[in-house]
Amino acid sequence: HSFVELYNNTNSPITLTDKYSLQYADGTNNNTPPADPSWKVIKLIGTIPAHSSFLIRGNEGTLHSSRRLIIENYDQTASFALYNQSFKVAVIGNQQKLTVENPFAMTGGKAKDYVDMLGAVNTDVGDLIDGYETAFIVGMTKHIAIRRLSLTDTDDNSTDFGTVDYRTQSGSNGISDGDVVKFRPRYLGDGTYTPQFAE
């Protein structure tokens, strides 16, 4: 399953219901625009306690042979899978569908109630995305996830995020069994924790 993990880095709970949305759109794969380029809106429900995560699980994709990361526990579902060629996700402090391509970089500033966003592509050749903070991140696939590198947000996706390769470790690819546990996405049931980040 594709997934998006939201982490509350504050000392207070954040109520999502009737207030926040996660919005998603595909990008361009090998110069071919997506069939439906408009934003899809997930109206978030629930509350994220301080220093806890909220996990949104997307539809199941093609099963990888190793199947090392199985997402059985989650807090909310999406009716689609995140595209593994290019995508953008935005956290917005309302539940109205976005009407701009890049809510981070609009004439006059950020979109109303803008919180954060990520734009990512599989490779920097042919895969394009039109929404990101300063520069998009490159390198995700169906088994390589995008992960924040620290809790400091510089408003530049290319430096704020890195990748985690969930395949079995082999040479420079993949991670150990211990790191699969360390870097797995968390959900509300996991309770409070301090994220550990890939080197």
Side-chain angles (χ1 to χ4, degrees):
H1 296 270
S2 55
F3 62 89
V4 176
E5 178 187 354
L6 303 177
Y7 181 72
N8 177 1
N9 192 35
T10 74
N11 294 321
S12 301
I14 297 174
T15 299
L16 303 172
T17 305
D18 297 328
K19 295 183 178 181
Y20 288 92
S21 62
L22 182 77
Q23 307 209 21
Y24 168 86
D26 293 338
T28 298
N29 172 21
N30 295 323
N31 300 310
T32 303
D36 179 9
S38 63
W39 292 96
K40 297 176 176 73
V41 181
I42 302 171
K43 295 180 178 181
L44 298 174
I45 300 169
T47 298
I48 312 177
H51 306 289
S52 299
S53 282
F54 184 91
L55 189 63
I56 299 111
R57 187 179 81 167
N59 287 347
E60 185 177 76
T62 304
L63 292 175
H64 189 267
S65 59
S66 70
R67 302 182 192 178
R68 297 180 80 208
L69 179 65
I70 306 298
I71 300 175
E72 296 175 337
N73 300 309
Y74 53 91
D75 301 300
Q76 195 166 341
T77 59
S79 60
F80 51 85
L82 274 68
Y83 190 42
N84 65 17
Q85 292 297 127
S86 55
F87 68 83
K88 56 187 176 182
V89 291
V91 179
I92 303 297
N94 63 57
Q95 297 188 330
Q96 281 73 53
K97 183 176 180 178
L98 287 167
T99 58
V100 294
E101 293 175 346
N102 190 346
F104 172 75
M106 297 172 51
T107 302
K110 298 174 185 174
K112 181 179 183 293
D113 300 326
Y114 176 90
V115 177
D116 202 2
M117 81 172 300
L118 166 66
V121 301
N122 187 304
T123 72
D124 58 0
V125 179
D127 298 331
L128 301 173
I129 194 66
D130 56 9
Y132 47 84
E133 290 186 342
T134 306
F136 52 76
I137 182 171
V138 178
M140 56 75 179
T141 68
K142 73 173 98 176
H143 42 255
I144 298 178
I146 303 299
R147 182 174 170 81
R148 187 170 280 283
L149 295 176
S150 78
L151 295 176
T152 301
D153 188 6
T154 70
D155 285 343
D156 184 339
N157 290 166
S158 67
T159 59
D160 287 342
F161 292 87
T163 60
V164 175
D165 187 339
Y166 284 104
R167 290 174 294 183
T168 303
Q169 194 168 24
S170 175
S172 61
N173 297 322
I175 56 177
S176 67
D177 290 343
D179 280 345
V180 170
V181 175
K182 179 179 174 181
F183 298 133
R184 70 176 174 84
R186 261 75 169 185
Y187 78 117
L188 290 176
D190 287 315
T192 61
Y193 79 108
T194 300
Q196 296 177 327
F197 298 100
E199 297 290 320

